[in-house]
Every structure is written in C-alpha cells, then in structure tokens.
Amino acid sequence: MVAPLIERARVLLESDESLHPIAFVGSSTRRTIKIVVLSTADGDVEDSSAEQVRQVAFREDADFVFTVTEAWGLPPEKVGKYQAILDQYGSIEASPYAIDFVSFALETVRGSWVAQVPLKPKGISKRKKTFGEPRFRLVTESAGGFATLLPQPAEPSDGGDTLH
C-alpha cells in the first residue's frame, strides 16, 4: 500500500511541486488510508500534529502510519561531527555539508522502518528534483514527537485485579 505513496512523492518532486510533510494513516485489512497534513514548525506544533495522527489512527483502527517529509541531513562521514557543525553554523541547513533528502517512516504493529533518500536534480533542471529507490531499515528504538503514532495494545492482565 505504500509503494504508490512513494511514487506520488517522486512525481510531485519531479513536477517541481512542494513535498509537504504528510502522514498516511491506514488499515491494511480494510484497505483504507486517511491523510493528515503535518505541521513541523516548532515543538508545540509538532506535538499537536503527532497527536492529531494518533487520534486518526485510533478512530480508524489503523495498523500502519506512513510519513513522508523533506528534510536536511548530513552525509554519513559528517554525522559524527553533528554537534560541532551545529555549534559552528547554528543549524544543519546553514552548514555547507547539508544535503536535502526525503524521509520515509513506516510504523506498523510489527515494527518501524525508515528510509532517507538524498534528493538530486532531475536531468538538467535546477528546480526539479527526484530521488532513488528507498532502502528501508528496521529501527528498534525511536523517540521524538512522531514516534509511536499507532494505538498501543493494552497490557495483558494477570487476572489479579478485582473490580469493586
């Protein structure tokens, strides 16, 4: 269900469209997807966007959330110097090492996978962009506002509690 969403992101970028941060909240059993446009302007807004996704996921009994965002990052050889780069330039975006990429995150009931794919010019265009095939990797730990967007299963009871 996510392959067409990846292709749509590619088509938008190749058509010189903006790639707005978005979450696709879906149910693979019902084959439905709800769209939530994300705002990532600051921490409070990020938290409210994440909460909105959680509410939709709960309401729709979702079993996956797929987020697509455009971001800046560092090439692998500069990641270890992250803090020094922030100290010197104030942000990754302002540094000469920044690379544009599209970030994909797929959270399912069985785990979470992420892919970050560098953006590159489409042909000779200076404005149109494209990206290669995402290579997803399983993440075992995640943190931040957009972690654990799906409803968490209730802890099983040991049967020891009583109801009065």
Side-chain angles (χ1 to χ4, degrees):
M1 288 180 75
V2 300
L5 304 175
I6 294 169
E7 187 53 33
R8 181 66 183 146
R10 182 178 284 110
V11 167
L12 286 171
L13 286 170
E14 290 178 353
S15 301
D16 198 23
E17 299 274 337
S18 295
L19 190 58
H20 297 286
I22 195 162
F24 300 94
V25 182
S27 168
S28 58
T29 55
R30 291 195 319 268
R31 309 278 303 160
T32 60
I33 295 177
K34 297 291 183 182
I35 297 171
V36 179
V37 177
L38 306 174
S39 177
T40 57
D42 63 48
D44 291 339
V45 175
E46 179 180 302
D47 290 343
S48 66
S49 285
E51 186 56 35
Q52 184 181 7
V53 172
R54 287 184 188 98
Q55 289 174 4
V56 171
F58 178 78
R59 188 173 57 244
E60 298 298 318
D61 194 25
D63 57 8
F64 74 89
V65 175
F66 184 62
T67 57
V68 180
T69 57
E70 200 172 335
W72 296 281
L74 293 171
E77 68 274 8
K78 298 293 183 188
V79 171
K81 298 180 181 181
Y82 171 77
Q83 191 57 53
I85 291 170
L86 282 182
D87 292 344
Q88 184 174 357
Y89 298 100
S91 71
I92 298 301
E93 177 189 10
S95 83
Y97 311 112
I99 56 172
D100 291 334
F101 62 88
V102 60
S103 178
F104 300 102
L106 175 62
E107 180 183 338
T108 73
V109 294
R110 298 191 184 264
S112 295
W113 288 263
V114 297
Q116 294 179 329
V117 188
L119 294 176
K120 56 187 177 185
K122 179 170 179 4
I124 60 172
S125 175
K126 292 185 182 197
R127 294 180 47 159
K128 295 179 183 179
K129 304 173 197 169
T130 192
F131 56 89
E133 287 304 311
R135 297 182 63 126
F136 286 86
R137 61 177 165 50
L138 178 66
V139 291
T140 56
E141 294 181 22
S142 58
F146 288 105
T148 60
L149 297 171
L150 288 175
Q152 300 303 302
E155 292 293 322
S157 173
D158 63 3
D161 294 340
T162 58
L163 182 60
H164 297 282

